[in-house]
Amino acid sequence: MKKRTKYVCHASLIAAMYAVLTFLSSLFGLSSGVIQCRISEALCILPVFTPAAIPGLTVGCLIANLASGAIWQDLIFGTLATALGALGTYFLKKYIFLAPIPPILANTLIIPFVLKFAYGFGDALPLFFLTVGIGEIVSAGIFGYILLFSLNPVKDKIFK
């Protein structure tokens, strides 16, 4: 019972952090739209430390998208992109230098289609791949690595 409680607590805290950091990004106009750089995407590195991060990130993304008034396609596919990125990171946890790649790829390959077909942001799909990709490299890649190497020395105290 204690292990399950800890898992749920970790997942819930990660979901809350994701949602709050997404709201913080929205204050600067970076959480949605053609140019995106969600600070919360740095948390996609957390499955390296705990599998509880997978549902935590997924639920956090869903909450953030619901609260921001996203349309149903974004609720489904935006959340799916985060879930796939988190799963990929979990499976690459033994190769921590590759860990940010799944969320970068998942969001870069899925979100531009949401922008074009669900939100109707013109027909500059290559531009969307570029802008979303750069935003993900910054948030999940650069900020993710900073978080990874900051948490690595204390991971046993936090996640065990």
Side-chain angles (χ1 to χ4, degrees):
M1 187 67 156
K2 183 179 177 185
K3 190 174 185 176
R4 183 185 307 173
T5 303
K6 188 179 279 190
Y7 182 92
V8 171
C9 286
H10 282 166
S12 300
L13 286 170
I14 292 167
M17 286 189 302
Y18 188 99
V20 168
L21 289 173
T22 301
F23 299 145
L24 181 62
S25 297
S26 72
L27 293 176
F28 300 101
L30 296 174
S31 67
S32 59
V34 177
I35 298 174
Q36 296 185 19
C37 188
R38 287 185 173 188
I39 301 165
S40 52
E41 286 291 306
L43 299 176
C44 287
I45 202 72
L46 294 179
V48 165
F49 302 113
T50 177
I54 299 166
L57 292 166
T58 304
V59 170
C61 181
L62 180 61
I63 290 168
N65 287 346
L66 278 167
S68 69
I71 59 176
W72 70 267
Q73 297 94 327
D74 198 2
L75 292 174
I76 293 170
F77 294 108
T79 303
L80 177 66
T82 298
L84 290 173
L87 277 169
T89 298
Y90 177 75
F91 289 118
L92 288 176
K93 67 183 177 183
K94 292 184 180 182
Y95 309 98
I96 61 171
F97 288 104
L98 299 176
I101 293 175
I104 292 170
L105 287 178
N107 283 285
T108 301
L109 296 175
I110 294 172
I111 300 304
F113 290 104
V114 173
L115 294 172
K116 179 176 173 51
F117 297 111
Y119 287 106
F121 284 132
D123 45 27
L125 200 54
L127 175 65
F128 301 158
F129 285 115
L130 181 67
T131 59
V132 172
I134 290 171
E136 280 298 309
I137 289 169
V138 170
S139 58
I142 295 170
F143 294 157
Y145 276 131
I146 292 168
L147 183 61
L148 173 69
F149 294 116
S150 298
L151 289 176
N152 207 28
V154 295
K155 67 182 176 206
D156 294 331
K157 294 178 183 173
I158 298 173
F159 298 107
K160 296 255 175 162

